[in-house]
Amino acid sequence: MQIEDIAPKVEHLRSYFETGKTRSADWRIAQLNQLKKLTLEQEDKIREALDKDLNKCELEAWSAEVGYTVSEIDHSLKRLSKWMQPRRVATPMVAQPGKSYIQPQPLGTVLIIGAWNYPYQLVMAPLIAAISAGNCAVLKPSELASHTSALIAELVPQYLDKDAFTVIEGAVEETTELLKQHFDHILYTGGEAVGRIVMRAAAEHLTPVTLELGGKSPCVVDKSANLDVTTSRIAWCKWMNAGQTCVAPDYVIIEKQFVEPFMTAMQEKINRFYGPDNGASSQDYAKIINHRHWQRIVNYLEGQNVVFGGQHDEQKQFIAPTLVLNPDLASPIMQEEIFGPLLPIITVDSIDEAIPIINRRAKPLAMYIFTKDMGLENRLLNETSAGSVCINDGMMFMANKDLPFGGVGASGMGSYSGQAGFDTFSHLKAVMKRSFMMDVDLRYPPYNDNKLKWLKRLG
Ligand code: NAD
């Protein structure tokens, strides 16, 4: 699409929204069913695009992209009519007789900007929320996952209402032009620096934003944890998509006395999952998205104590699952989000030291706690902050659509998934309905002490 076509396209969507067509439950259900049809009918093409962009294997393409999208649609279809209902709340004495409720209403035309690491899901899951809430939407998939972006642009107009949805492909120039337009909400997924750009642009139109950012998600492993299950689960969610997952554990904190058996078990899991050549010939291990990111990740290894892995091949955009022991907390690998297959392991004398290590950093998107010690679990839950927490597993919490997904502080603002997404893309309008009966004179001037006394009593 040409830059000069962007403004009229957005204007067209805005006009279409004003026709009211997108508000009905029937339209929303029809669009959700069409999106499900698209996802299932075109599964092979989606998988092929994900393979070209990231070497994504079939199982991960299903569990984290295609199947994930379908289950989000099914969840929404099942609950949509309930979500759309007015939500009754109590009415205070002073407003009796009367009733009060919250009426969800579509916001209008929204912008969804996706990132490259789960390039299908990160556009489609917010879209499901936007459709459920009755909005028009512009989708801007990441140009870094160019095959998936092109496929989304090709397929969306074939299945969805063309007047309500449009896909705009492109990079900085196109996104900059898009951000000049007036939207009723922007949901952005990506890094913090661009998040600031998005928020600044949104401020011009007083457009609310949901920012789905990243951060360094800590993983605290206590000596009471089941070592075998813990290491399987950490290895699974750290090296899925070669560590290019916003909620992947960024680093592990563990007591010194427990680190040897932990690392031995971890290496055994890596071998079992990715083969004796440490992922180099595994069909199940993704590549790094591009050379810039490959170089960025390799640079983190400079001067570090690599105790396992570390192999890399620029031509294949490959970096092996890698364990780094006790990096300096001030070094880049512990200052920046790794977003790749390197796992620093920080040893401490007592697991209580995990709390200040976590709290000295920006608030992460996720935190993982592996322990059977309820006291430790509660201390970590209460004394640290993170967008989401999973106890005794990795990113399994993402499978529960009843849990809102989003960050806190530097890891983002707002949330989606299930009802949280519906609410994000709705205005929750407060409505009070009074009766003409009992028009008590107390509130009307001229005021006097007696009226004041009664008002104080009524509260
Ligand atoms: P990216 O490079 O794909 O950028 C994200 C989007 O921003 C793209 O659509 C891109 O076109 C757009 N963009 C880039 N530069 C821009 C500019 N100057 N102006 C306007 N738009 C611009 O993705 P990324 O930033 O490399 O994403 C990685 C980050 O995203 C990591 O921090 C990761 O943790 C985070 N992430 C978060 C989530 C989440 O759900 N919270 C999911 C995935 C990734």
Side-chain angles (χ1 to χ4, degrees):
M1 187 178 291
Q2 302 293 315
I3 292 291
E4 56 275 18
D5 296 335
I6 290 178
K9 193 77 213 175
V10 175
E11 212 32 63
H12 177 78
L13 264 53
R14 294 188 73 81
S15 311
Y16 187 68
F17 178 75
E18 280 161 22
T19 65
K21 181 109 193 276
T22 69
R23 290 174 187 268
S24 75
D26 285 350
W27 181 88
R28 303 182 200 194
I29 291 165
Q31 296 306 309
L32 288 172
N33 279 321
Q34 279 299 106
L35 189 54
K36 183 173 174 180
K37 192 166 173 229
L38 179 165
T39 305
L40 290 174
E41 273 184 7
Q42 303 293 341
E43 186 191 341
D44 288 349
K45 279 193 181 172
I46 297 167
R47 222 177 41 220
E48 209 176 292
L50 292 168
D51 185 36
K52 285 183 182 151
D53 285 329
L54 284 146
N55 265 6
K56 209 169 266 209
C57 63
E58 193 173 341
L59 191 142
E60 289 184 13
W62 173 262
S63 63
E65 307 257 15
V66 173
Y68 186 95
T69 301
V70 171
S71 75
E72 186 80 40
I73 294 172
D74 287 342
H75 182 90
S76 300
L77 281 170
K78 223 182 202 166
R79 291 158 181 82
L80 186 61
S81 69
K82 183 167 171 252
W83 295 343
M84 287 176 70
Q85 294 301 314
R87 303 169 195 176
R88 194 79 185 257
V89 295
T91 301
M93 180 78 126
V94 286
Q96 295 293 353
K99 63 176 180 179
S100 309
Y101 54 93
I102 295 162
Q103 176 72 64
Q105 243 185 355
L107 290 173
T109 298
V110 304
L111 171 62
I112 294 165
I113 304 177
W116 51 264
N117 55 332
Y118 290 87
Y120 191 73
Q121 185 240 107
L122 290 174
V123 169
M124 293 308 173
L127 176 62
I128 293 161
I131 296 173
S132 301
N135 297 281
C136 294
V138 175
L139 312 180
K140 215 305 280 170
S142 175
E143 71 282 13
L144 267 57
S146 58
H147 296 92
T148 312
S149 172
L151 187 66
I152 292 171
E154 178 195 326
L155 296 178
V156 163
Q158 290 176 26
Y159 286 83
L160 299 190
D161 185 340
K162 281 202 258 315
D163 291 315
F165 305 106
T166 195
V167 182
I168 295 182
E169 283 197 275
V172 177
E173 196 187 358
E174 290 78 3
T175 319
T176 304
E177 182 62 22
L178 264 176
L179 288 171
K180 288 183 191 155
Q181 313 308 313
H182 183 192
F183 288 99
D184 298 292
H185 194 93
I186 300 174
L187 188 148
Y188 163 80
T189 303
E192 195 182 316
V194 177
R196 288 177 211 277
I197 295 173
V198 170
M199 204 167 167
R200 242 178 254 131
E204 279 304 308
H205 296 285
L206 287 179
T207 297
V209 291
T210 301
L211 300 181
E212 295 284 345
L213 311 177
K216 291 186 82 63
S217 298
C219 179
V220 180
V221 180
D222 176 47
K223 57 182 173 300
S224 65
N226 176 315
L227 191 63
D228 186 44
V229 177
T230 298
T231 47
S232 289
R233 291 178 179 177
I234 295 176
W236 165 71
C237 70
K238 176 65 189 183
W239 289 293
M240 175 185 287
N241 209 29
Q244 302 165 107
T245 302
C246 57
V247 288
D250 190 276
Y251 61 99
V252 167
I253 304 178
I254 190 166
E255 281 179 8
K256 267 190 192 116
Q257 49 169 340
F258 198 45
V259 74
E260 283 300 325
F262 174 80
M263 286 203 307
T264 308
M266 209 61 172
Q267 291 171 27
E268 189 258 313
K269 296 295 154 49
I270 296 170
N271 276 327
R272 177 146 35 110
F273 292 179
Y274 301 110
D277 61 356
N278 208 6
S281 60
S282 168
Q283 298 295 311
D284 300 330
Y285 192 64
K287 67 176 178 182
I288 304 301
I289 184 76
N290 61 22
H291 291 280
R292 180 170 63 81
H293 279 283
W294 182 90
Q295 192 61 60
R296 177 185 65 75
I297 299 164
V298 167
N299 288 348
Y300 288 138
L301 291 175
E302 211 179 294
Q304 297 299 349
N305 180 14
V306 173
V307 289
F308 185 79
Q311 301 87 345
H312 47 276
D313 178 336
E314 181 161 18
Q315 238 204 330
K316 293 185 177 153
Q317 290 165 232
F318 167 77
I319 302 176
T322 297
L323 303 177
V324 174
L325 187 61
N326 279 326
D328 185 336
L329 295 186
S331 62
I333 197 173
M334 283 308 294
Q335 287 295 314
E336 295 161 20
E337 179 185 1
I338 298 168
F339 214 53
L342 319 180
L343 183 64
I345 298 163
I346 311 294
T347 60
V348 288
D349 290 324
S350 153
I351 204 70
D352 291 319
E353 292 168 42
I355 293 171
I357 292 176
I358 294 165
N359 287 345
R360 271 198 296 267
R361 282 153 211 286
K363 293 177 181 175
L365 187 57
M367 181 171 80
Y368 303 106
I369 307 168
F370 289 87
T371 185
K372 289 181 191 157
D373 177 346
M374 284 287 289
L376 177 68
E377 178 186 315
N378 286 333
R379 276 205 309 287
L380 282 161
L381 275 175
N382 295 329
E383 295 173 30
T384 65
S385 181
S388 305
V389 173
C390 193
I391 300 153
N392 296 333
D393 209 330
M395 52 203 178
M396 272 313 280
F397 70 92
M398 301 280 301
N400 186 347
K401 313 282 175 215
D402 287 323
L403 288 172
F405 175 59
V408 55
S411 55
M413 59 186 72
S415 59
Y416 69 110
S417 187
Q419 188 175 353
F422 176 88
D423 287 355
T424 286
F425 286 110
S426 299
H427 169 56
L428 301 178
K429 186 191 268 183
V431 182
M432 179 185 276
K433 183 172 179 184
R434 296 290 325 276
S435 157
F436 288 116
M437 282 158 42
M438 284 177 59
D439 193 33
V440 184
D441 187 49
L442 280 179
R443 64 173 148 159
Y444 299 128
Y447 303 133
N448 58 40
D449 288 350
N450 197 32
K451 286 184 175 179
L452 180 61
K453 192 181 84 195
W454 274 103
L455 276 179
K456 282 185 174 172
R457 225 179 254 183
L458 283 168

